[in-house]
Amino acid sequence: MPQSQRIDWVDYAKGISIILVVMMHSTLSTEDALGHAGWLHGVVEFARPFRIPAFFMIAGLFVAHTIDRDWRTFLDRKVLHFVYFYVLWLIIQFAFRAPFLVADHGALGALQAFLTAFIDPYGTLWFIYLLPVFFLATRLTRSIPPVIVFLVAAALEIAPIDTHWTLIDEFASRFVYFYSGYLFSVYILRGAAWSRSHMALVLAGLAAWFLANLWLVHAGLSTDYGISLALGFAGAAAVVAISVLLARSHLLEGLRYCGQNSIVIYLAFFLPMVITRIALAKTHVITDPGTAAALVTTMAVVTPLILHWMVRGTMFKFLFERPARFHLVPAKPKKTTLLPAE
């Protein structure tokens, strides 16, 4: 399969995942602000079993390309890279939230919340926090037979772990998907290549998955032990298949662009989401919660892309580009290759 095609479907998959994540945050917070659910709520619930599993499986897909590098390079590419953006955007988000935290909990309470964010991820930034943890866990378990790591990770997902610590709970729930992206990357890539030339079978499989996922979500069974794991894998596979079909047909190029810049959207969607939601709630220009949530989602996705375009080549490019002084090794040159989700 040509490399450019591989890049296309991976970007589509990342685009689907990041938009579903933003949609979830935008819809639930908008519905909470307006007091009732809207038509977009059904889409959010349908995507619940697979949006995060797909995100992490794609993130783990190319770990094998870097996991054997020297520790200095590995830590720079897979740990410090995400630590930099987490700390930077933690400070930015906290600067906006601090006045409200101080008003509700006092200055010491606000300071405690800020410091706690370094040992337990803060708000919407938990994805960025977990990625280096997953990279490290995958590297440190290389000496253990992969089947054992996979089975333990699957058991953690199935187990009823609820410590109220995001780091522990989300690691237990999500590491199996990241590790599976790493462990089964060859088969995932082969499956994607196969999908390009077997559209009829892929479409039939997608229809069966759609109906099964819809029924299990509607029946309230999608979060049951074992079923959630199966739906996570099935949904992640469906995202791959849909992405391959979109890339094959060159449809929805904007979605692919979102995937190329998924980290930009993820880092910066919070502020435009909050601002748009507050503006709609106060002005009552749009009272339908579904339509309002769709507009909030659109603004939360588009605004970071515009901001990214505006700051490129300026003194503010540090918002989305790690400065050289925060590298352990020289930055790798930009090139059109198959890259991991970063």
Side-chain angles (χ1 to χ4, degrees):
M1 180 170 52
Q3 186 125 329
S4 61
Q5 294 172 354
R6 291 169 64 185
I7 293 173
D8 283 347
W9 79 255
V10 170
D11 285 334
Y12 274 107
K14 290 162 63 179
I16 292 170
S17 298
I18 194 61
I19 288 176
L20 288 176
V21 168
V22 174
M23 181 187 296
M24 180 266 294
H25 286 289
S26 299
T27 300
L28 297 183
S29 61
T30 300
E31 290 174 350
D32 184 62
L34 297 181
H36 55 287
W39 55 266
L40 202 56
H41 189 87
V43 178
V44 171
E45 288 303 307
F46 176 82
R48 186 183 297 275
F50 64 87
R51 61 172 165 257
I52 298 176
F55 177 94
F56 282 124
M57 191 184 77
I58 297 300
L61 197 56
F62 306 110
V63 174
H65 291 184
T66 56
I67 198 167
D68 291 321
R69 293 185 181 181
D70 64 277
W71 268 105
R72 188 178 180 88
T73 301
F74 178 82
L75 291 173
D76 178 73
R77 303 284 194 257
K78 301 306 176 189
V79 178
L80 185 57
H81 177 79
F82 296 104
V83 169
Y84 168 79
F85 287 115
Y86 177 79
V87 173
L88 172 64
W89 283 89
L90 167 64
I91 293 171
I92 292 172
Q93 283 199 19
F94 197 83
F96 283 86
R97 287 179 166 177
F100 303 99
L101 290 172
V102 171
D104 293 338
H105 307 288
L108 287 178
L111 177 60
Q112 182 181 17
F114 179 74
L115 295 177
T116 301
F118 288 91
I119 58 173
D120 200 46
Y122 186 75
T124 59
L125 293 173
W126 71 269
F127 278 46
I128 301 296
Y129 192 105
L130 262 291
L131 280 172
V133 175
F134 286 166
F135 281 117
L136 281 170
T138 302
R139 175 149 181 161
L140 293 172
T141 56
R142 283 183 304 165
S143 61
I144 303 174
V147 65
I148 294 178
V149 178
F150 174 78
L151 291 175
V152 170
L156 288 174
E157 197 279 345
I158 295 172
I161 297 175
D162 185 15
T163 67
H164 300 292
W165 280 82
T166 303
L167 174 59
I168 297 172
D169 295 346
E170 295 297 344
F171 181 91
S173 298
R174 314 302 181 184
F175 180 62
V176 64
Y177 302 109
F178 181 90
Y179 191 77
S180 296
Y182 158 69
L183 184 61
F184 304 119
S185 60
V186 172
Y187 303 103
I188 294 170
L189 294 173
R190 287 177 182 173
W194 180 88
S195 298
R196 295 183 67 85
S197 54
H198 296 81
M199 284 192 63
L201 289 175
V202 170
L203 290 173
L206 286 173
W209 160 78
F210 178 88
L211 292 175
N213 190 84
L214 182 66
W215 180 78
L216 288 168
V217 168
H218 183 72
L221 301 173
S222 62
T223 58
D224 285 4
Y225 305 131
I227 296 178
S228 64
L229 182 65
L231 285 183
F233 280 122
V239 168
V240 171
I242 292 169
S243 301
V244 170
L245 297 182
L246 290 173
R248 183 180 185 274
S249 305
H250 300 288
L251 296 174
L252 303 178
E253 286 291 313
L255 183 63
R256 181 182 61 81
Y257 184 78
C258 288
Q260 287 180 324
N261 296 279
S262 58
I263 192 171
V264 170
I265 296 172
Y266 187 74
L267 289 172
F269 84 88
F270 172 78
L271 294 177
M273 177 188 74
V274 171
I275 292 170
T276 306
R277 184 187 70 222
I278 292 175
L280 290 176
K282 288 185 175 297
T283 60
H284 303 289
V285 174
I286 299 176
T287 56
D288 175 67
T291 305
L295 179 57
V296 172
T297 300
T298 301
M299 292 299 295
V301 170
V302 172
T303 303
L305 297 175
I306 295 174
L307 177 61
H308 180 232
W309 176 80
M310 291 175 61
V311 302
R312 285 186 303 179
T314 73
M315 61 184 294
F316 297 105
K317 65 181 181 180
F318 70 89
L319 291 171
F320 304 109
E321 181 179 329
R322 184 166 45 126
R325 63 181 175 274
F326 292 105
H327 281 265
L328 295 176
V329 296
K332 56 186 176 182
K334 294 182 181 297
K335 54 183 179 180
T336 307
T337 57
L338 192 62
L339 296 175
E342 57 175 62

